[in-house]
Amino acid sequence: MAQFEILTACRFYVELTLDGSTEGVDGIFLDCKGFKRNQQIIEAVEVTPQKWGVATRGQVVRTKLPGNVKSTNLTLRRGLTCSMTLWKWFDEVEKGHWGAQRRSGSLILYDQASKSQAHYNFRDAWPTGYTLTDLSASSTELEIEELELAVEDFVRVQ
């Protein structure tokens, strides 16, 4: 019987590969949402003649075929840091330099012994939104920075 461990969602980090970054780590995130990949369905419909019985109309036959594959946007959330890397990346895209700002990255899931168990790569990502949670001087909660990324593709590599 093969051994396996159920991976918990609380042990992961997202590593972004940002060319030209001067930061040692571009981001360690609290949340990562949107790792979803869909294959669209193409439905072919044809009408065939009814050769049996007394039918006066044809029979409708539907066939479902695989279509284009689509990856949804990723939303990354982390505690606000003094690093300007993510903001500068978003700012460059906002200024119209999005083609030169497409980056790749990884999502890595670890087991309880901190050994990598699942590795997903995404490619050609660029930030589509930047959000900072509401500020309150009386709050004791972390200030959260959120970045939404449009990704061309993501795949599991391990």
Side-chain angles (χ1 to χ4, degrees), residues 45-64:
V45 180
E46 59 184 324
V47 178
T48 60
Q50 290 269 5
K51 294 187 178 181
W52 60 89
V54 293
T56 59
R57 293 191 275 173
Q59 177 183 16
V60 176
V61 177
R62 297 180 187 277
T63 305
K64 293 183 179 182

Side-chain angles (χ1 to χ4, degrees), residues 12-13 33 41-42 46 67 70 78 81 86 106 113 118 138 150:
F12 75 92
Y13 73 88
K33 297 178 183 176
I41 298 169
I42 298 171
E46 59 184 324
K70 178 182 176 185
R78 70 176 186 178
T81 69
L86 297 179
S106 300
S138 64

Side-chain angles (χ1 to χ4, degrees), residues 59-94:
Q59 177 183 16
V60 176
V61 177
R62 297 180 187 277
T63 305
K64 293 183 179 182
L65 305 168
N68 293 330
V69 175
K70 178 182 176 185
S71 298
T72 60
N73 289 354
L74 301 178
T75 302
L76 307 172
R77 298 181 73 222
R78 70 176 186 178
L80 182 63
T81 69
C82 59
S83 170
M84 293 286 291
T85 302
L86 297 179
W87 175 258
K88 287 178 182 176
W89 187 26
F90 175 74
D91 190 46
E92 284 299 309
V93 171
E94 191 176 45

Side-chain angles (χ1 to χ4, degrees), residues 36-40 68-72 152 154:
K36 185 175 180 180
R37 201 165 153 86
N38 292 339
Q39 186 152 20
Q40 294 175 336
N68 293 330
V69 175
K70 178 182 176 185
S71 298
T72 60
E152 290 288 319
F154 78 88

Side-chain angles (χ1 to χ4, degrees), residues 2-60:
Q3 289 184 335
F4 69 94
E5 180 176 349
I6 296 174
L7 301 175
T8 59
C10 64
R11 294 187 48 85
F12 75 92
Y13 73 88
V14 175
E15 174 184 292
L16 294 175
T17 305
L18 300 176
D19 297 337
S21 174
T22 58
E23 304 290 327
V25 175
D26 289 319
I28 297 178
F29 295 91
L30 303 170
D31 273 338
C32 181
K33 297 178 183 176
F35 269 84
K36 185 175 180 180
R37 201 165 153 86
N38 292 339
Q39 186 152 20
Q40 294 175 336
I41 298 169
I42 298 171
E43 195 168 304
V45 180
E46 59 184 324
V47 178
T48 60
Q50 290 269 5
K51 294 187 178 181
W52 60 89
V54 293
T56 59
R57 293 191 275 173
Q59 177 183 16
V60 176

Side-chain angles (χ1 to χ4, degrees), residues 84-143:
M84 293 286 291
T85 302
L86 297 179
W87 175 258
K88 287 178 182 176
W89 187 26
F90 175 74
D91 190 46
E92 284 299 309
V93 171
E94 191 176 45
K95 289 177 182 174
H97 307 139
W98 66 272
Q101 296 302 317
R102 295 159 71 92
R103 302 288 183 254
S104 297
S106 300
L107 170 69
I108 303 169
L109 296 166
Y110 292 89
D111 63 15
Q112 296 302 313
S114 296
K115 183 179 173 190
S116 172
Q117 294 295 320
H119 191 123
Y120 295 85
N121 287 342
F122 58 87
R123 69 174 176 82
D124 294 333
W126 53 273
T128 66
Y130 180 91
T131 306
L132 193 61
T133 55
D134 295 340
L135 299 168
S136 172
S138 64
S139 176
T140 58
E141 295 180 10
L142 284 174
E143 189 58 35

